[in-house]
Amino acid sequence: MEERPKSIDGRDWSYNAPSVLPRVPAMNLTFKSLHPTFFAEVSPVDLRTVSDRDTLDQIRAGMDRYAVLVFRDQAFAGTEQVEFAQRFDGQLHAKTGAAAITKNRFGNEALTDISNVDEGGEIFQSNDRRRQYLLGNRLWHTDASFQDPPGRYSMLFSVVVPPVAADTEFADMRAAYDALSADMKAQLEGLRVQHSIAYSRSTLGFEFSEKERETLKGAVHPLVRTLPNGRKSLYLASHAASIIDWPVPEARLLLRDLTEHATQPQFVYRHSWRVGDLVIWDNRATMHRGMPFDDKKYRRELRRVTTLDIPIPPTTYTQRRGAVDAEGAKETRNK
Ligand code: OGA
Ligand code: MN
């Protein structure tokens, strides 16, 4: 077995490590864009110590502008990643698909294990059900769209990175929406989509048991979403199974065409992970997928926290956006 990589800072990164950290005053973050329409790298900051509203609002503003942000050299241990997600965006998603099929390695359903290793740290065997489930992340998707409320922000933290490329691709669903013809935009207005993880996994031949399916019933969401900054996005995912009141084949053809459109190279950015990266993406505005690598040979360990897409408690930042935010919340309620 290969040597377990050392942590970048000598700290104990195990989930139960204790944490006592100083909080620091507000900082001025800057964003360096890495793609013409979205995705930016944020200036150095230790997110474990960020708790003031002003800095958190700068991150939210950055998310509204870029939809995906990468923070380098993070060192979350113990519950620090979960705590940051709560400070930043409130309530966390704990009803993930993974929770239905396997026991959480960290004993906390809000911290999803996106690793190809078992509780003993061994790389999954090829026929391990948990591996086969995880392979579903290689389909274009947005997190927890098969739940209501779905996911808002996902925060994926990389702990162990293989020596070969094991990247994640992101697609800008706002730019993809903008590029549609006026006719197509009119056709999509008001359509509602049924999302189901049982459906998306079944396209790969992965089947849930009846008991698992009971906890994963699926959810309905608008196909076009209005974001807090007023922009519209295509809300698609591999989980998108049908359109309400449409014949299923016709719905699937449209969903397939839209996905092909939205994942053309000009809308896609490919992120190469470094140990310590925290990537935050807005599930309302993007899709993502894991890229193939030799997962039976190389260890890859990431941990994800996803927040609930519920109305945001008022802050100076959300008050400034006022009207648009109210629109967004109304759209969510009317689903
Ligand atoms: C996820 C996900 C892709 C990857 O964590 O939600 O889809 O590259 N990850 O691991
Ligand atoms: Mn995902």
Side-chain angles (χ1 to χ4, degrees):
M1 202 179 79
E2 110 223 52
E3 264 277 284
R4 229 174 194 299
K6 304 272 182 300
S7 74
I8 50 169
D9 61 353
R11 283 161 47 90
D12 178 359
W13 288 41
S14 63
Y15 182 66
N16 293 315
S19 75
V20 184
L21 287 160
R23 297 284 178 246
V24 299
M27 351 198 351
N28 273 323
L29 301 178
T30 56
F31 301 89
K32 185 177 91 187
S33 85
L34 300 178
H35 179 275
T37 69
F38 76 138
F39 209 114
E41 178 172 334
V42 187
S43 52
V45 56
D46 181 347
L47 293 173
R48 297 173 305 171
T49 65
V50 170
S51 60
D52 68 287
R53 201 65 253 168
D54 182 65
T55 311
L56 294 171
D57 281 351
Q58 288 177 50
I59 299 174
R60 200 184 285 284
M63 288 299 298
D64 277 356
R65 166 78 183 77
Y66 295 103
V68 192
L69 297 175
V70 54
F71 297 82
R72 304 284 188 187
D73 302 320
Q74 300 305 305
F76 296 115
T79 51
E80 289 164 352
Q81 183 184 354
V82 172
E83 286 156 14
F84 168 73
Q86 281 170 325
R87 288 198 296 278
F88 175 42
D89 197 40
Q91 290 192 50
L92 308 181
H93 234 296
K95 286 193 279 176
T96 59
I101 75 152
T102 181
K103 204 166 154 295
N104 184 289
R105 186 155 65 114
F106 313 119
N108 183 337
E109 298 298 350
L111 193 64
T112 302
D113 195 7
I114 309 291
S115 306
N116 62 340
V117 300
D118 63 22
E119 49 296 315
E122 299 291 328
I123 293 178
F124 287 147
Q125 302 283 309
S126 124
N127 61 357
D128 192 305
R129 192 160 183 257
R130 293 166 294 185
R131 168 173 185 261
Q132 290 168 27
Y133 174 79
L134 200 64
L135 288 173
N137 279 345
R138 295 198 190 165
L139 302 175
W140 281 111
H141 67 283
T142 190
D143 294 332
S145 67
F146 50 89
Q147 301 282 3
D148 193 5
R152 181 159 46 227
Y153 298 136
S154 283
M155 307 177 206
L156 186 57
F157 175 54
S158 99
V159 179
V160 176
V161 170
V164 293
D167 303 342
T168 308
E169 283 191 336
F170 293 88
D172 184 348
M173 306 301 282
R174 311 162 307 175
Y177 177 84
D178 291 345
L180 294 171
S181 69
D183 277 356
M184 181 57 92
K185 286 177 183 162
Q187 194 193 332
L188 302 185
E189 209 51 52
L191 295 184
R192 294 169 353 116
V193 174
Q194 164 76 29
H195 293 250
S196 152
I197 193 166
Y199 165 69
S200 59
R201 289 314 196 252
S202 77
T203 65
L204 294 181
F206 180 96
E207 298 299 339
F208 289 97
S209 70
E210 201 151 316
K211 194 157 155 267
E212 288 163 351
R213 272 202 302 271
E214 263 169 43
T215 61
L216 298 167
K217 284 216 162 61
V220 175
H221 300 293
L223 175 54
V224 176
R225 300 198 52 164
T226 304
L227 304 167
N229 61 8
R231 293 189 68 182
K232 289 186 173 181
S233 73
L234 281 173
Y235 193 61
L236 291 169
S238 55
H239 315 306
S242 59
I243 298 172
I244 304 300
D245 296 333
W246 277 43
V248 173
E250 191 181 1
R252 288 196 184 164
L253 286 169
L254 176 61
L255 293 166
R256 203 182 274 207
D257 284 350
L258 290 172
T259 301
E260 266 178 31
H261 161 78
T263 55
Q264 293 176 88
Q266 66 269 33
F267 305 127
V268 172
Y269 178 82
R270 182 173 181 140
H271 177 68
S272 297
W273 291 93
R274 295 185 205 157
V275 169
D277 282 354
L278 181 82
V279 174
I280 309 184
W281 62 85
D282 186 337
N283 285 295
R284 303 166 300 183
T286 57
M287 280 206 291
H288 61 278
R289 64 170 176 180
M291 299 307 284
F293 72 102
D294 193 347
D295 68 309
K296 290 178 294 204
K297 180 165 179 197
Y298 298 112
R299 172 189 305 280
R300 179 179 189 258
E301 296 189 45
L302 303 107
R303 300 168 183 180
R304 194 187 82 208
V305 180
T306 297
T307 62
L308 286 180
D309 186 16
I310 52 179
I312 301 164
T315 67
T316 327
Y317 178 65
T318 54
Q319 273 158 14
R320 254 186 279 131
R321 297 187 315 210
V324 188
D325 235 22
E327 243 342 270
K330 196 161 71 207
E331 178 204 62
T332 307
R333 274 196 309 277
N334 289 346
K335 270 188 322 235

